[in-house]
């Protein structure tokens, strides 16, 4: 299994996520407690009863933003996550829970997993028994139903979120209460105490203006809404949920905002296990994320072994040092959406450039055939990786040149040749490079701030945390775009004759 920051291979609208072990409520976002225990970030208030078991929740009462969390020391000790795990089968391990302050004094400190002793690469930090791991197989009570639902109706995240929401309604009666309370403490903030942009206000999303991430956030939010509208299907099809809550129809019991918060909370901690059945591939693991910090340069992953999920560290650790795991090959845009943080040294960070052949071109079908012969599509996505912008430009050029071919005889020559399209003429090459340069300039112009202004903002130690991570993201995006622009300009200056005007391009390829 791999701790992957996105939902690879999942129908879910979000990227690989980590899951929690049982039906405990999700982060502070899922704040849903019927018994109004002070250990929960907020409580569900009884509005009306459709029957003796059905409870309606008021979204205004369940949002935790701005609330001050109060937990007694006695209750804190009684519900200690690690102690609870040891009492229920967790064998001796080499980690301890520590805490760091939150950026907001209204929020309690965030717990994190640290080494309890010096560790060496290859040491097993902990091994969580499957009895303390939540998967769809457990949630839905049937592997076939789990595969059916996640294939045709809902994502794994939606099913897990619904399960945890129901479980949290039991409060302290729930076996998973200590774990749910820990998730509520985390509030879906990950290790940097910043919520996913999926929970940001409209004014906060404006921090991402110019970045394609903003549109991705809005699209993901719409996807979550569609999932919410399918929740009743899960309830009716999942025998275990139907039997345990026969009258609590999901959309009656939980408003959309509560489900959205729960979904995002699950998204921030789900683990993507490898080499297991589909019904077990997404798991919620106590001591896993978000208690474990994420790192793009780490190779340690949570892995299924026999009847447990274990973590083998990939580096040395000093006692009390925070332990990190790999979050998958995800760009910073995905890290921000799923976990609320940016990795400045992310080797997987990338931008997307979409190029497409002009469908109005009389030679479109021939060009489409040539593109496919060279492993490209009529609508082709190019990934620009940080530090490898020149390579990305070199990969785009043959495809763009193909779009510029207009003469029939030239097209026949291209069809009869093998391999990528080489420069056909100086004026065509100039036209291709000019289009690329203008495209990158337009992308830079879409941001409301310059790179130097971003640097000034980040130098402010009092900068709003959400604005900080958003600024970090757009600054890194601009860095890649500027590198692409510079690589393109360098190619233009290398042309044999800069006085040549670009060739006309009635059916130039489209870039977005």
């Amino acid at each position: 299994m791999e701790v992957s920051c996105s939902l690879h291979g999942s129908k879910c609208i979000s990227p690989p996520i980590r899951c929690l072990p049982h039906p405990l409520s999700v982060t502070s976002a899922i704040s849903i407690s019927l018994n109004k225990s002070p250990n929960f970030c907020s409580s569900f208030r009884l509005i009306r009863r459709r029957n003796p078991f059905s409870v309606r929740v008021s979204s205004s009462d369940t949002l935790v933003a701005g609330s001050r969390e109060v937990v007694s020391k006695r209750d804190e000790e009684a519900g200690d996550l690690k102690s609870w795990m040891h009492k229920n089968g967790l064998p001796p391990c080499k980690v301890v829970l520590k805490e760091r302050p939150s950026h907001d004094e209204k929020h309690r400190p965030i717990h994190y997993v640290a080494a309890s002793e010096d560790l060496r690469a290859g040491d097993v930090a902990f091994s969580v028994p499957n009895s303390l791991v939540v998967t769809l197989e457990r949630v839905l009570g049937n592997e076939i139903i789990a595969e059916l639902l996640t294939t045709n109706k809902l994502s794994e995240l939606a099913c897990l979120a619904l399960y945890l929401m129901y479980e949290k309604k039991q409060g302290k009666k729930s076996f998973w209460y200590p774990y749910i309370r820990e998730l509520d403490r985390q509030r879906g903030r990950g290790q940097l105490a910043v919520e996913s942009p999926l929970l940001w206000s409209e004014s906060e999303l404006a921090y991402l203006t110019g970045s394609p991430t903003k549109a991705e956030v809005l699209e993901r939010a719409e996807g979550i809404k569609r999932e919410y509208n399918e929740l009743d299907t899960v309830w009716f099809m999942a025998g275990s949920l139907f039997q345990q809550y026969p009258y609590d129809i999901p959309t009656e019991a939980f408003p959309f905002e509560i489900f959205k918060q729960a979904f995002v909370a699950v998204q921030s901690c789900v683990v993507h296990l490898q080499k297991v059945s589909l019904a077990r591939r997404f798991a919620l693991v106590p001591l896993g994320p978000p208690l474990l910090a994420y790192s793009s340069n780490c190779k340690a992953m949570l892995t299924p072994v026999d009847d447990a999920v274990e973590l083998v560290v990939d580096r040395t650790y000093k006692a009390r040092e925070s332990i990190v795991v790999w979050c998958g090959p995800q760009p910073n845009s995905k890290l921000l959406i799923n976990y609320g943080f940016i990795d400045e040294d992310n080797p997987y960070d990338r931008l997307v450039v979409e190029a497409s052949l002009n469908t109005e071109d009389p030679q479109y079908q021939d060009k489409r055939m040539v593109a496919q012969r060279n492993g490209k599509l009529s609508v082709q996505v190019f990934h620009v990786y940080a530090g490898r912008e020149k390579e990305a430009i070199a990969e785009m050029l043959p495809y763009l040149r193909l779009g510029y071919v207009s003469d029939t005889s030239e097209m026949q020559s291209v069809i009869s040749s093998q391999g990528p399209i080489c420069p056909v003429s100086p004026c065509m090459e100039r036209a291709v490079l000019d289009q690329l340069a203008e495209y990158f300039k337009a992308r830079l112009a879409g941001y409301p701030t310059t790179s130097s202004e971003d640097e000034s903002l980040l130098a402010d130690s009092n900068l709003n945390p959400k604005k900080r991570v958003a600024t970090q993201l757009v600054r890194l995006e601009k860095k890649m775009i500027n590198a692409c622009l510079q690589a393109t300009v360098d190619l233009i200056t290398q042309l044999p004759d800069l006085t040549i005007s670009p060739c006309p391009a009635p059916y130039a390829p489209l870039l977005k």
Side-chain angles (χ1 to χ4, degrees):
M1 154 206 115
E2 143 188 344
V3 173
S4 155
C5 290
S6 61
L7 292 175
H8 299 306
S10 165
K11 175 190 172 231
C12 175
I13 50 181
S14 74
I17 303 169
R18 306 352 178 209
C19 283
L20 314 175
H22 207 10
L24 285 191
S25 119
V26 212
T27 81
S28 66
I30 305 185
S31 343
I32 307 171
S33 171
L34 284 179
N35 61 7
K36 300 184 180 180
S37 164
N39 294 310
F40 285 86
C41 299
S42 69
S43 62
F44 268 111
R45 295 185 180 177
L46 189 61
I47 304 302
R48 65 185 178 87
R49 289 184 179 276
R50 296 175 60 87
N51 53 58
F53 304 97
S54 177
V55 179
R56 180 71 181 178
V57 182
S58 167
S59 60
S60 62
D61 293 332
T62 57
L63 298 179
V64 296
S67 64
R68 183 174 295 275
E69 304 158 34
V70 180
V71 179
S72 69
K73 183 176 181 180
R74 177 180 178 183
D75 199 43
E76 183 82 44
E77 295 174 348
D80 173 73
L81 176 65
K82 193 162 177 287
S83 298
W84 166 77
M85 293 181 68
H86 282 303
K87 290 178 182 178
N88 290 281
L90 177 70
C93 56
K94 300 178 180 179
V95 300
V96 64
L97 286 183
K98 297 186 67 62
E99 64 180 36
R100 60 168 56 96
S102 171
H103 68 80
D104 190 333
E105 62 178 11
K106 295 179 181 179
H107 300 164
R108 297 161 63 199
I110 292 179
H111 282 157
Y112 65 95
V113 172
S116 59
E117 59 187 74
D118 291 350
L119 299 177
R120 295 177 300 177
D123 285 350
V124 176
F126 60 76
S127 182
V128 179
N130 287 342
S131 60
L132 292 176
V133 176
V134 174
T135 62
L136 287 184
E137 188 174 20
R138 168 174 292 177
V139 170
L140 302 178
N142 185 294
E143 183 174 349
I144 295 177
I145 291 179
E147 294 183 11
L148 176 64
L149 284 174
T150 55
T151 299
N152 300 296
K153 286 292 182 181
L154 294 176
S155 68
E156 288 87 343
L157 293 187
C159 295
L160 288 167
L162 177 61
Y163 184 51
L164 296 182
M165 292 167 70
Y166 273 126
E167 191 65 18
K168 182 171 183 178
K169 291 179 67 176
Q170 298 184 37
K172 293 183 179 180
K173 295 180 181 180
S174 170
F175 169 76
W176 301 99
Y177 173 72
Y179 185 50
I180 293 176
R181 194 185 61 178
E182 187 60 52
L183 293 178
D184 281 341
R185 172 196 282 265
Q186 296 295 329
R187 306 170 65 87
R189 295 170 294 177
Q191 293 301 306
L192 298 187
V194 176
E195 297 86 350
S196 163
L198 289 167
L199 299 178
W200 292 8
S201 66
E202 184 176 348
S203 60
E204 290 169 337
L205 281 178
Y207 301 152
L208 295 171
T209 298
S211 171
T213 304
K214 182 177 180 180
E216 189 175 347
V217 169
L218 296 175
E219 182 180 359
R220 181 87 63 84
E222 285 299 314
I224 296 176
K225 179 65 174 179
R226 290 193 297 271
E227 297 242 51
Y228 175 77
N229 293 334
E230 292 289 350
L231 287 185
D232 293 350
T233 299
V234 176
W235 181 78
F236 281 113
M237 293 184 67
S240 59
L241 284 177
F242 179 83
Q243 293 167 15
Q244 189 170 5
Y245 306 99
Y247 302 107
D248 282 352
I249 298 176
T251 54
E252 289 290 332
F254 309 109
F256 170 66
E257 284 303 319
I258 294 302
F259 171 73
K260 182 179 179 181
Q261 293 173 38
F263 185 101
V264 172
V266 169
Q267 175 178 276
S268 71
C269 57
V270 83
V271 175
H272 188 191
L273 299 175
Q274 301 297 311
K275 299 180 181 180
V276 296
S277 67
L278 293 178
R280 296 180 56 215
R281 63 181 175 175
F282 293 98
L284 294 169
V285 183
L287 294 184
L291 295 174
L292 287 172
Y294 305 110
S295 172
S296 298
N297 292 300
C298 177
K299 293 303 179 185
M301 303 181 294
L302 288 173
T303 308
V305 177
D306 297 326
D307 295 324
V309 174
E310 71 175 21
L311 174 65
V312 177
V313 298
D314 68 335
R315 61 193 67 185
T316 59
Y317 287 95
K318 294 293 184 181
R320 308 179 77 79
E321 186 177 356
S322 175
I323 294 179
V324 298
V325 293
W326 189 43
C327 53
Q330 298 183 74
N332 279 323
S333 58
K334 293 293 188 293
L335 296 183
L336 179 59
I337 293 175
N338 295 324
Y339 315 107
F341 78 96
I342 297 298
D343 188 341
E344 295 278 354
D345 300 315
N346 185 358
Y348 307 103
D349 199 18
R350 64 177 183 266
L351 288 175
V352 170
V353 175
E354 183 181 289
S356 58
L357 299 174
N358 194 322
T359 55
E360 297 181 0
D361 189 339
Q363 302 186 89
Y364 170 76
Q365 291 301 335
D366 286 339
K367 292 181 178 180
R368 181 166 173 260
M369 179 268 292
V370 172
Q372 291 177 340
R373 190 175 65 191
N374 287 280
K376 297 295 188 290
L377 303 172
S378 56
V379 178
Q380 180 63 42
V381 171
F382 294 94
H383 290 114
V384 180
Y385 285 89
R388 289 183 279 169
E389 292 84 1
K390 290 183 179 180
E391 292 92 326
I393 297 300
E395 183 186 5
M396 294 179 205
L397 288 178
Y399 186 89
L400 297 179
R401 291 173 187 141
L402 176 62
Y404 271 81
V405 174
S406 57
D407 185 87
T408 304
S409 61
E410 289 180 344
M411 191 64 223
Q412 289 305 311
S413 176
V414 168
I415 293 175
S416 61
S417 64
Q418 298 295 323
I421 311 303
C422 297
V424 177
S425 67
C427 73
M428 178 186 293
E429 193 71 359
R430 179 61 184 269
V432 170
L433 293 173
D434 278 357
Q435 183 185 12
L436 262 182
E438 291 304 314
Y439 165 76
F440 291 125
K441 289 177 183 178
R443 285 192 66 160
L444 288 172
Y447 294 96
T449 59
T450 64
S451 295
S452 59
E453 289 173 333
D454 293 338
E455 296 291 351
S456 297
L457 283 173
L458 294 174
D460 181 3
S461 59
N462 295 318
L463 184 64
N464 176 290
K466 292 178 182 177
K467 189 167 186 177
R468 178 175 296 281
V469 293
T471 303
Q472 288 178 314
L473 177 71
V474 298
R475 181 177 63 86
L476 292 171
E477 289 178 348
K478 293 172 192 174
K479 184 177 179 180
M480 286 185 278
I481 296 173
N482 273 311
C484 286
L485 177 58
Q486 187 58 55
T488 304
V489 171
D490 289 344
L491 290 174
I492 292 175
T493 60
Q494 294 171 19
L495 292 175
D497 188 351
L498 294 178
T499 63
I500 295 178
S501 299
C503 290
Y507 302 107
L510 307 177
L511 293 174
K512 70 174 185 178

